[in-house]
């Protein structure tokens, strides 16, 4: 099940009881009603805090979505060290997806929950952790540090990060972005969490770039803060330079002279037509018989008007031969400016170069993160 979201519909193949306690054999079905007190929270839930549960207040009267759970035996096969902390009894189940619904049911007094019990979710640590992660990632308020911890915990279940990426449908760069957040000092991680909640803090994109600085893990809080200030100053300088370039371009466009209209040729008026006068017919030429026609006198050769070639004057004899047109040097063609619209989108390297020339570093990171999230959603 690695790399795929859990489908509750495929699990609940057997009929679900309509009301609690109607069918005594419900314990043998994947979907059954379980007393809320017997629904144990997942000790490996990636969320540290469940947050405000007021949006689930209606669960007191109606449960709109079932919970996914495994039996304690299946869970403890993966993490036997959690036996004492879990404190499970024979009638208990461990909630994998639906821990907020379980907490809301306890808070608002719901006595039973509809639960889908499927121990195949506990085939491996990675599958159970991924099932818990998927539900939380769909929430907008999921803490980015909690997400990073959950992702790295799943990756740790595989021999290499590459195998984890292939199995879970993630890219290695997407994993690296989450890993970079965990390289920061806990105080900076707190600021990242604050920003994600809409408060003042450090944005996720800036934090990931800061985490990619070489040796950042070994730095103290003061040193990491200094690196953060340099990063923010560099971004500010880049934005200011682009703004100044746009202002300068607009000023140059305004100062450019207007196009001078091309003068039209002046057409002289046609002369006024003269009144026609009757001309006398030409006199007829005398007809001369061929035999009596005089022979034309031989003409002397016309003297050439071309000057005599002189040694120091240009001529075909003393000049160097001109190169043929194809031998002449051609002016260098201007280097075309590659725009995003002209890029071969199947050429990853060309596309990356065009993006780097077009976007700022922060914009490129945001684009990379958006693409990774889109791929994750599509593959899942």
């Amino acid at each position: 099940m690695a790399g795929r979201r859990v489908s509750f519909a495929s699990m609940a193949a057997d009929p679900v009881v309509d009301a609690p306690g109607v069918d005594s054999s419900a314990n043998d079905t994947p979907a059954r009603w379980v007393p809320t007190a017997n629904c144990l929270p997942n000790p490996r839930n990636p969320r540290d805090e469940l947050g405000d549960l007021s949006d689930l207040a209606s669960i007191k009267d109606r449960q709109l979505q079932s919970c996914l759970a495994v039996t304690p035996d299946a869970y403890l096969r993966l993490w036997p060290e959690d036996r004492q902390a879990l404190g499970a009894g024979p009638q208990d189940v461990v909630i994998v997806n639906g821990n907020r619904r379980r907490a809301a049911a306890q808070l608002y007094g719901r006595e039973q929950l509809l639960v889908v019990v499927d121990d195949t979710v506990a085939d491996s640590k990675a599958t159970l952790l991924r099932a818990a992660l998927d539900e939380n990632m769909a929430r907008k308020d999921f803490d980015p540090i909690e997400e990073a911890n959950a992702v790295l915990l799943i990756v740790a279940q595989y021999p290499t990060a590459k195998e984890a990426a292939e199995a879970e449908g993630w890219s290695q760069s997407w994993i690296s972005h989450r890993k970079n957040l965990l390289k920061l000092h806990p105080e900076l991680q707190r600021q990242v969490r604050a920003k994600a909640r809409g408060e003042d803090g450090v944005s996720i994109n800036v934090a990931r770039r800061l985490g990619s600085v070489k040796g950042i893990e070994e730095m103290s809080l003061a040193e990491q803060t200094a690196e953060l200030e340099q990063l923010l100053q560099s971004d500010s300088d880049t934005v200011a330079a682009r703004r100044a370039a746009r202002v300068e371009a607009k000023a140059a466009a305004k100062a450019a002279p207007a196009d001078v209209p091309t003068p039209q040729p002046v057409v002289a008026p046609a002369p006024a037509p003269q009144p026609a006068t009757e001309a006398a017919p030409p006199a007829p030429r005398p007809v001369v018989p061929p035999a009596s026609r005089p022979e034309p006198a031989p003409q002397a050769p016309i003297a050439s008007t071309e000057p005599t070639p002189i040694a120091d004057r240009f001529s075909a004899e003393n000049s160097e031969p001109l190169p043929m047109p194809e031998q002449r040097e051609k002016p260098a063609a201007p280097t075309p400016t590659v725009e995003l619209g002209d890029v071969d989108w199947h050429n990853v390297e060309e596309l990356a170069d065009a993006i780097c020339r077009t976007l700022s570093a922060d914009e490129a990171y945001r684009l990379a993160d958006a693409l990774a999230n889109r791929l994750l959603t599509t593959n899942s």
Side-chain angles (χ1 to χ4, degrees):
M1 293 181 63
R4 296 178 297 168
R5 294 186 182 274
V6 178
S7 173
F8 293 168
S10 64
M11 295 175 182
D14 296 336
V16 179
V17 294
D18 294 331
V22 172
D23 187 356
S24 60
S25 63
N27 289 336
D28 297 330
T29 64
R32 61 178 182 262
W33 293 99
V34 179
T36 304
N38 294 114
C39 297
L40 305 180
N42 178 15
R44 304 287 171 167
N45 185 28
R47 292 183 70 98
D48 296 334
E49 299 178 0
L50 297 179
D52 184 12
L53 300 175
S54 60
D55 59 316
L56 296 176
S58 62
I59 199 171
K60 179 180 179 180
D61 302 318
R62 180 183 298 273
Q63 181 183 353
L64 300 178
Q65 185 178 358
S66 61
C67 300
L68 173 65
V70 297
T71 62
D73 289 341
Y75 179 89
L76 292 174
R77 280 196 298 268
L78 300 177
W79 290 283
E81 64 273 19
D82 290 350
R83 181 177 300 275
Q84 184 175 358
L86 190 63
Q91 303 299 322
D92 294 337
V93 294
V94 182
I95 301 297
V96 178
N97 276 353
N99 282 275
R100 293 185 78 249
R101 293 190 290 279
R102 184 203 66 83
Q106 285 186 331
L107 178 63
Y108 295 106
R110 184 179 182 86
E111 295 181 356
Q112 292 186 320
L113 287 172
L114 182 62
V115 178
V116 176
V117 181
D118 184 5
D119 282 351
T120 62
V121 178
D123 283 345
S124 68
K125 291 181 178 180
T127 55
L128 193 145
L129 292 170
R130 178 63 187 272
L133 174 64
D134 283 344
E135 181 189 38
N136 288 290
M137 289 184 65
R139 297 185 56 82
K140 294 181 179 180
D141 60 347
F142 189 33
D143 190 297
I145 302 300
E146 291 177 346
E147 179 195 29
N149 280 314
V151 169
L152 269 294
L153 187 59
I154 294 175
V155 172
Q157 310 309 316
Y158 294 89
T160 63
K162 181 179 180 181
E163 293 182 40
E166 293 175 352
E168 299 296 336
W170 298 332
S171 68
Q172 295 190 60
S173 62
W174 188 86
I175 296 175
S176 297
H177 289 163
R178 273 75 192 162
K179 186 177 181 180
N180 287 341
L181 294 179
L182 302 181
K183 295 179 181 179
L184 302 182
H185 189 276
E187 172 58 25
L188 292 181
Q189 292 184 14
R190 186 195 64 79
Q191 295 184 34
V192 173
R193 288 178 164 180
K195 186 69 173 181
R197 294 193 300 266
E199 304 171 5
D200 292 336
V202 179
S203 70
I204 296 177
N205 294 317
V206 172
R208 289 171 182 167
R209 292 165 56 198
L210 179 62
S212 65
V213 175
K214 185 177 181 180
I216 194 69
E217 288 179 288
E218 289 75 23
M219 296 183 186
S220 64
L221 174 60
E223 292 173 330
Q224 289 190 4
T225 303
E227 290 287 341
L228 174 62
E229 292 175 353
Q230 292 182 8
L231 182 61
L232 295 176
Q233 184 61 46
S234 176
D235 289 348
S236 177
D237 293 343
T238 301
V239 172
R242 290 189 175 184
R243 185 180 295 112
R246 288 195 295 267
V247 172
E248 183 178 354
K250 290 181 179 179
K254 291 181 179 180
D259 294 337
V260 179
T262 304
Q264 299 295 330
V266 179
V267 180
Q274 299 294 329
T277 56
E278 185 176 354
R285 297 183 179 180
V287 178
V288 180
S292 62
R293 290 179 182 174
E295 294 293 334
Q299 297 181 355
I302 302 174
S304 174
T305 58
E306 295 291 336
T308 304
I310 305 177
D312 59 352
R313 183 177 297 175
F314 175 82
S315 67
E317 289 79 3
N318 64 3
S319 65
E320 294 294 333
L322 293 175
M324 298 298 291
E326 61 272 11
Q327 296 175 334
R328 298 173 183 170
E329 294 184 0
K330 298 180 179 179
T335 303
T337 301
V338 179
E339 301 292 343
L340 285 178
D342 303 328
V343 173
D344 180 5
W345 292 78
H346 297 284
N347 189 329
V348 177
E349 296 296 332
E350 182 180 345
L351 178 59
D353 291 341
I355 290 175
C356 290
R357 286 193 297 269
T358 305
L359 304 179
S360 66
D362 190 48
E363 292 170 339
Y365 271 97
R366 289 203 301 272
L367 175 60
D369 184 54
L371 290 174
N373 286 332
R374 180 62 60 83
L375 288 174
L376 171 62
T377 303
T378 303
N379 294 332
S380 299

